[in-house]
């Protein structure tokens, strides 16, 4: 059975705009009950799906602003749900895992999740992460894209890679490659500062925001994903290079 919880004072993405809708994908009733009540009190509209197949149906129907997605689900796993959503949408996704194992979090990020939390978690921490992801996503999709400097119509071109900030399009040797929002922002920042080493802390602050509270390996996973799409040999990168102990830089190979 589908569940919708509406708050009297809903959270909005901007003044006067529609309230924020969260698709909660969870099969444990205790968590469903607690989160629908807790998130409702925080001002969110909560839609519930209890398995992977229902999650994809509800996502297409509701078009939520954020997905809170459990990894372990009946029928279709949370990882596969995330993959499927990412085929057509950059809606923010926060993965939830009960295992706490590094492999779960890394795989979750690799298939396109924006962040993750591990059960058990505090509602306050979860809401903080949700709002941080929504702020980052909202700022980056507005008229002034966060983390992209200079003329919004600028096309950056380096070593066979072209990045168009206006059309949000990336081409590698003339071929269009698909980069979700965070990967696009990361590549844009690195290319704008080609030849300069950008510390890990700077990259995290500029792409994920100074209020980011997740694990720093999120950056490494996103770098790996970008490399897989723009490097001739991702195992031996020549464009995005690691500067051990410092961070990353985009090699200025014009």
């Amino acid at each position: 059975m589908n569940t919708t919880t509406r708050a009297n004072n809903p959270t909005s993405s901007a003044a006067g705009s529609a309230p924020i809708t969260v698709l909660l994908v969870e099969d444990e009733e205790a968590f469903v009950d607690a989160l629908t009540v807790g998130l409702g009190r925080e001002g969110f509209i909560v839609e519930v799906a209890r398995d992977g197949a229902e999650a994809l149906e509800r996502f297409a129907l509701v078009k939520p602003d954020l997905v809170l997605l459990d990894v372990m689900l009946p029928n279709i796993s949370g990882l596969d749900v995330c993959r499927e959503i990412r085929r057509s949408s950059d809606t923010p996704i926060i993965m939830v895992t009960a295992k706490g194992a590094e492999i779960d979090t890394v795989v979750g990020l690799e298939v396109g999740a924006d962040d993750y939390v591990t059960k058990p978690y505090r509602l306050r921490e979860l809401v903080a992460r949700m709002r941080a992801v929504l702020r980052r996503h909202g700022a980056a999709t507005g008229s002034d894209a966060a983390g992209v400097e200079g003329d919004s119509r600028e096309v950056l071109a380096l070593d066979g890679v072209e990045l168009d900030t206006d059309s949000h399009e990336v081409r590698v040797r003339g071929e269009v490659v698909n980069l979700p929002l965070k990967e696009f922002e990361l590549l844009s920042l690195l290319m704008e500062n080609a030849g300069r080493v950008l510390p890990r802390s700077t990259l995290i602050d500029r792409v994920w925001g100074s209020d980011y509270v997740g694990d720093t390996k999120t950056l490494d996973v996103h770098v790996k994903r970008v490399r897989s799409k723009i490097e001739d040999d991702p195992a031996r990168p020549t464009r995005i290079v690691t500067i051990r102990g410092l961070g990353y830089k985009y090699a200025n190979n014009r």
Side-chain angles (χ1 to χ4, degrees), residues 17 66 82 98 157 180 225 228:
S17 62
L66 182 145
C82 185
R225 281 157 47 180
S228 72

Side-chain angles (χ1 to χ4, degrees), residues 16 76 150-151 227 233:
I76 303 175
D151 186 346
R227 282 172 170 166
D233 181 358

Side-chain angles (χ1 to χ4, degrees), residues 68-95:
L68 192 58
L69 179 61
D70 193 19
V71 172
M72 303 298 292
L73 292 171
N75 300 326
I76 303 175
S77 75
L79 295 175
D80 287 334
V81 170
C82 185
R83 284 192 188 95
E84 190 61 32
I85 289 175
R86 278 292 171 261
R87 293 180 188 275
S88 60
S89 173
D90 64 354
T91 297
I93 298 174
I94 298 179
M95 302 291 294

Side-chain angles (χ1 to χ4, degrees), residues 58-70:
R58 298 295 293 166
F59 181 84
L61 179 66
V62 173
K63 294 179 170 44
D65 300 290
L66 182 145
V67 180
L68 192 58
L69 179 61
D70 193 19

Side-chain angles (χ1 to χ4, degrees), residues 2 7 9 11-12 16 28 30 69 74 99-100 104 117-118 128 133 136 141 164 167 172 213 221 225 227 233:
N2 299 328
N9 298 300
T11 297
S12 298
E28 294 186 45
L69 179 61
K99 293 182 178 179
D104 288 331
V117 292
T118 302
V133 166
R136 295 194 300 269
T141 56
D164 189 327
S167 65
V172 180
V213 294
V221 170
R225 281 157 47 180
R227 282 172 170 166
D233 181 358

Side-chain angles (χ1 to χ4, degrees), residues 128-238:
R129 293 197 180 197
M130 292 169 61
R131 287 178 172 156
V133 166
L134 287 165
R135 281 196 300 272
R136 295 194 300 269
H137 187 268
T141 56
S143 59
D144 297 316
V148 181
E149 298 176 344
D151 186 346
S152 63
R153 304 191 67 85
E154 181 182 8
V155 176
L156 302 172
L158 286 170
D159 192 26
V161 178
E162 295 182 358
L163 183 146
D164 189 327
T165 60
D166 183 51
S167 65
H168 202 278
E169 188 173 79
V170 176
R171 293 178 181 270
V172 180
R173 305 201 187 285
E175 297 292 327
V176 175
V177 296
N178 179 41
L179 267 68
L181 182 63
K182 291 293 123 185
E183 294 177 29
F184 184 89
E185 290 182 349
L186 177 60
L187 178 60
S188 176
L189 184 58
L190 287 165
M191 289 183 69
E192 287 169 355
N193 294 276
R196 294 175 53 194
V197 179
L198 296 182
R200 296 172 60 83
S201 59
T202 297
L203 289 166
I204 291 172
D205 286 349
R206 292 289 302 279
V207 177
W208 284 270
S210 58
D211 57 354
Y212 179 67
V213 294
D215 198 302
T216 57
K217 64 173 168 281
T218 296
L219 171 62
D220 302 320
V221 170
H222 278 72
V223 167
K224 180 180 178 181
R225 281 157 47 180
V226 174
R227 282 172 170 166
S228 72
K229 298 173 183 178
I230 72 166
E231 295 282 0
D232 297 327
D233 181 358
R236 297 176 178 80
T238 59

